[in-house]
Amino acid sequence: MKISLRKQMIISFSAIFILLIVLFGSLILKYNISNYQKQSYDYILKIVKANILLIDNYFEQLINVSKIVASDSDIMKAVTYRNSVDEVDYSVELYNQRNVASKIKQLDVLGSIENALIIGNNNEYLYYYGSSPVKGYNFGEQEWFAKAAVSEDQFVRFTNFHSTDYLLNHWSDETVSIITPIFDANPYNLSKRAYLMCDFNLDPIISDRSGKGSTQIAIFDGIHPVHFADNSRLSQSQKEEITRALTEQTKSFVLPKSKDNPVSYLVVNETSPISGWSILGIMPLTEIEQMRHTNTTFVMTVIVIACILVLLFSGWISRSILVPMHGLIAKFNEIAAGNRDVVFQESKSVEINTIAATAEHMLTNMNQLTNEIVEEQKKLATEQFKVLQHQINPHFLNNVLQSIKAMAVCGDVESISRATTLLGKILSYSVYNPYEQVELEQELAYTENYILLQNIRFNNRITYQIDCDERLRSFLVPKLMIQPLVENAIEHGFQQQWEGHIAIVTEDTENEFYIAVANNGSVVDAYEVARLNEMLSSQDSYKQKKSIGLLNLNQRLKSCFGPHAGLKVFSREGMNTSIVITIPKRKENQYVIGPHRG
């Protein structure tokens, strides 16, 4: 049975758009459902990281004050004395005790240090601040102390929660301590070490026990809980599940429902880089399930409304656009075939007329816009090359200035004059020379000045040789073309050598001329040479993330002299490492000669 085109359009449009709407809505629904947990994870992670930041700021203050006290000269002298004598001279010790007592009071700045002990190399306390300790208590036998007092490094360490049985009146309490090494006042005695141990108050980081909001924060020192919100509804089995997950170092997980708690939770775990504690964000999944239900209802409603609207408007759309659209499609087909003289007929549809007028305007301005885009791209490329040509390595400038500073300290006026003159020439050439291309002779002179300036830094340990064919002296080349290769040879080729030699040689052949920069430095292995040459010959070498200097120079050469220009690396045992610049000669002019310098 035949039906009209309009009905076919209505049926086709309706079926296609309804199918697309249903498919699109289903994808959105599926994406949102799968993404809700990820969004919740990100939300909890932000909260956890904010809490870590607060905790770590507090710990940073503890570390800084502990380091100040532990590095005090009076404390170091007192500890060194106690560690180095078997029988104490009490007149000396009384003086040391007064000094230590006055210096250790710096811990009062924080107001959160409850007790402090200085522990000697016999693992017993030497001095204390705060509560009185048990005399003769051996800290070295305590696992929590031995684990934190690592002798192989000089870092401040935090302990996990431990008992305070070393205090006379607080043996039943638990606390956390920060342990800071105190080094012997004799810098040559590394075997005797003491420690400053401070027990500090955790209230500044767990003072908010209200547990307000849907997301709870919990703190674990390893796998043992430090803090839970007072109104936490987690059951004991759920807390045990958290401990199991932390043992397996799981970053995020879901706590299932239990007999005592019908709510499941999403848990996100992050570790404090300073204390090593695990900070947990715990969010009930009831909110996620509610959002999922709300989103499902909303998406399904939108799909139903969209389907009804498609059915209502498909008939009107088909009637209004069918006839003029056919004519419009035919005209666009002519444009697609390459015809730029298409004339659009007047239509009753304002939209069709607007499209036709836009197409005519597009045809009128297409070539002009294309030319403008090409011109802008050329200008952009030119500016990028200028930036490349005029850049100066900041490390090089810093090294030169440091060398001049050292000569000034030594009073070497002659060397300072020579260095500043060379630096002035280099800056004048690289910054103020207005030409994008310069004569090869100028480029070689600049490179020689660069080597001479580097020799001031390396005490004339770099020898060099520059040979240039007379016919090539006026050849125009990109500015700053040779110097980066010399810099590369100095920084990488001579890293492990006392002396080095650089040779810059030009060669004129029938179709091309070459500039070789060779050095007798370290040999580059064959794999690296092959990798570099592969990148240099690649069409998209500018996208590489390594050897940027060589790749930029290679791209500049190709832009100036065509695709056959470029760089190639040679290096193997028994020969110098060389980078060869190849520049083809132009057919219309054998050379491009620079401005006359008569």
Side-chain angles (χ1 to χ4, degrees):
M1 180 180 65
K2 296 182 179 181
I3 58 177
S4 65
L5 182 59
R6 182 170 177 271
K7 290 182 179 180
Q8 292 182 34
M9 290 183 63
I10 293 174
I11 295 173
S12 300
F13 286 173
S14 299
I16 292 174
F17 281 110
I18 289 174
L19 178 62
L20 290 175
I21 290 171
V22 172
L23 179 62
F24 184 67
S26 300
L27 290 175
I28 292 177
L29 183 60
K30 182 178 179 180
Y31 172 78
N32 285 340
I33 291 175
S34 63
N35 198 46
Y36 269 135
Q37 187 160 322
K38 175 64 169 59
Q39 292 174 346
S40 301
Y41 170 83
D42 292 338
Y43 170 72
I44 300 174
L45 185 60
K46 289 181 181 179
I47 297 176
V48 170
K49 287 185 175 180
N51 278 269
I52 289 178
L53 182 61
L54 292 174
I55 292 172
D56 285 354
N57 284 339
Y58 175 63
F59 285 163
E60 285 284 1
Q61 295 176 14
L62 292 173
I63 290 173
N64 291 335
V65 174
S66 297
K67 285 183 176 179
I68 291 173
V69 174
S71 61
D72 186 90
S73 59
D74 288 337
I75 289 181
M76 292 174 64
K77 289 178 182 178
V79 171
T80 301
Y81 174 74
R82 288 291 297 273
N83 279 340
S84 59
V85 299
D86 295 328
E87 187 172 338
V88 176
D89 184 338
Y90 285 99
S91 62
V92 175
E93 179 60 14
L94 182 61
Y95 173 77
N96 288 340
Q97 286 179 352
R98 284 198 295 266
N99 286 338
V100 170
S102 65
K103 295 303 175 65
I104 207 170
K105 282 185 176 296
Q106 296 178 83
L107 298 172
D108 290 338
V109 172
L110 291 178
S112 55
I113 302 296
E114 298 178 336
N115 304 289
L117 295 90
I118 295 178
I119 301 169
N121 61 355
N122 62 351
N123 292 319
E124 296 181 5
Y125 83 90
L126 304 179
Y127 306 99
Y128 72 91
Y129 165 78
S131 300
S132 300
V134 176
K135 188 172 183 179
Y137 186 90
N138 192 324
F139 287 89
E141 296 176 353
Q142 309 304 315
E143 182 180 356
W144 56 266
F145 179 83
K147 184 178 179 181
V150 179
S151 60
E152 286 77 8
D153 55 46
Q154 304 179 12
F155 298 122
V156 176
R157 301 279 183 173
F158 287 90
T159 69
N160 288 340
F161 264 74
H162 61 83
S163 67
T164 56
D165 55 350
Y166 49 85
L167 298 177
L168 291 174
N169 300 324
H170 303 278
W171 60 270
S172 62
D173 297 335
E174 284 196 340
T175 188
V176 177
S177 302
I178 178 173
I179 298 180
T180 308
I182 302 175
F183 296 97
D184 198 292
N186 181 359
Y188 301 102
N189 187 359
L190 302 178
S191 61
K192 296 182 178 181
R193 177 181 289 188
Y195 297 93
L196 171 65
M197 186 181 80
C198 301
D199 302 337
F200 59 91
N201 188 357
L202 284 175
D203 286 344
I205 60 175
I206 61 173
S207 57
D208 182 11
R209 301 174 181 271
S210 61
K212 294 179 180 179
S214 59
T215 301
Q216 305 173 26
I217 294 295
I219 303 176
F220 279 69
D221 62 341
I223 59 175
H224 303 293
V226 175
H227 163 67
F228 267 104
D230 289 345
N231 65 347
S232 173
R233 298 180 180 178
L234 295 177
S235 65
Q236 185 60 34
S237 61
Q238 287 175 325
K239 292 182 179 180
E240 292 173 357
E241 179 66 19
I242 291 178
T243 300
R244 184 194 64 78
L246 291 178
T247 304
E248 298 175 357
Q249 298 182 345
T250 307
K251 283 295 184 181
S252 63
F253 52 93
V254 174
L255 286 179
K257 301 175 182 179
S258 66
K259 294 180 180 179
D260 300 327
N261 189 357
V263 180
S264 57
Y265 297 87
L266 174 63
V267 182
V268 176
N269 167 33
E270 284 290 317
T271 303
S272 165
I274 294 181
S275 66
W277 286 356
S278 296
I279 313 300
L280 276 62
I282 306 172
M283 178 179 180
L285 291 178
T286 50
E287 293 186 5
I288 297 179
E289 293 170 355
Q290 291 174 356
M291 288 189 294
R292 180 184 303 171
H293 175 73
T294 301
N295 184 72
T296 301
T297 304
F298 174 76
V299 172
M300 294 302 298
T301 302
V302 170
I303 290 175
V304 172
I305 294 174
C307 291
I308 294 173
L309 292 176
V310 167
L311 290 172
L312 292 176
F313 286 103
S314 60
W316 178 81
I317 293 173
S318 63
R319 183 176 61 252
S320 62
I321 69 172
L322 186 58
V323 175
M325 184 58 70
H326 283 164
L328 193 62
I329 290 174
K331 297 296 182 182
F332 274 105
N333 286 335
E334 292 182 31
I335 296 173
N339 185 3
R340 297 293 183 267
D341 299 323
V342 175
V343 177
F344 291 87
Q345 301 297 325
E346 187 73 18
S347 172
K348 294 181 180 180
S349 172
V350 175
E351 291 78 8
I352 296 297
N353 286 335
T354 302
I355 295 174
T358 303
E360 288 178 343
H361 184 70
M362 174 191 68
L363 291 174
T364 302
N365 295 289
M366 183 177 295
N367 291 332
Q368 178 182 351
L369 292 175
T370 302
N371 292 335
E372 290 178 357
I373 292 172
V374 171
E375 187 64 27
E376 287 298 323
Q377 290 175 340
K378 289 181 179 179
K379 290 180 180 179
L380 178 60
T382 300
E383 292 303 320
Q384 290 173 340
F385 285 145
K386 286 182 179 179
V387 172
L388 288 173
Q389 293 167 7
H390 295 166
Q391 65 184 0
I392 299 178
N393 190 325
H395 297 293
F396 167 69
L397 286 179
N398 180 65
N399 290 334
V400 172
L401 293 176
Q402 291 298 327
S403 298
I404 294 174
K405 177 182 177 181
M407 290 184 288
V409 172
C410 297
D412 191 350
V413 177
E414 182 179 351
S415 296
I416 293 174
S417 175
R418 184 163 174 258
T420 53
T421 300
L422 289 171
L423 180 59
K425 290 180 179 181
I426 287 176
L427 291 175
S428 176
Y429 179 83
S430 60
V431 176
Y432 299 112
N433 194 323
Y435 301 106
E436 294 182 351
Q437 293 190 2
V438 297
E439 294 179 4
L440 178 59
E441 186 177 27
Q442 291 180 270
E443 179 70 9
L444 291 174
Y446 168 78
T447 303
E448 184 176 17
N449 288 333
Y450 175 83
I451 296 174
L452 292 173
L453 192 56
Q454 285 282 31
N455 251 333
I456 294 176
R457 174 187 168 196
F458 290 96
N459 297 321
N460 294 316
R461 290 187 283 109
I462 302 172
T463 60
Y464 68 96
Q465 171 190 356
I466 300 177
D467 293 328
C468 180
D469 193 310
E470 287 295 332
R471 295 173 298 175
L472 300 177
R473 289 185 177 276
S474 298
F475 192 94
L476 293 182
V477 296
K479 191 171 70 172
L480 299 179
M481 177 182 71
I482 300 176
Q483 178 269 335
L485 305 182
V486 173
E487 181 180 6
N488 190 67
I490 293 173
E491 295 299 328
H492 301 290
F494 300 152
Q495 268 188 344
Q496 300 177 353
Q497 293 188 195
W498 176 252
E499 296 179 339
H501 180 76
I502 295 174
I504 303 174
V505 181
T506 66
E507 181 181 358
D508 185 11
T509 65
E510 181 179 356
N511 298 317
E512 298 170 319
F513 87 90
Y514 304 91
I515 303 173
V517 179
N519 69 84
N520 64 345
S522 303
V523 175
V524 183
D525 66 78
Y527 173 82
E528 180 65 11
V529 170
R531 184 189 71 82
L532 287 172
N533 287 327
E534 174 64 23
M535 287 195 304
L536 293 171
S537 63
S538 173
Q539 293 296 320
D540 60 347
S541 61
Y542 60 92
K543 296 181 180 179
Q544 300 292 333
K545 296 182 179 179
K546 297 181 179 179
S547 306
I548 299 301
L550 292 180
L551 296 175
N552 280 340
L553 176 56
N554 190 63
Q555 192 67 25
R556 291 168 59 198
L557 290 169
K558 292 183 182 297
S559 299
C560 292
F561 302 108
H564 298 294
L567 302 176
K568 193 166 185 179
V569 182
F570 300 89
S571 183
R572 68 170 183 267
E573 292 290 345
M575 65 171 287
N576 292 338
T577 297
S578 302
I579 300 179
V580 178
I581 300 173
T582 301
I583 299 179
K585 296 178 180 178
R586 298 182 182 178
K587 294 182 179 180
E588 62 274 18
N589 293 306
Q590 186 176 6
Y591 299 105
V592 179
I593 305 300
H596 181 63
R597 296 173 293 135

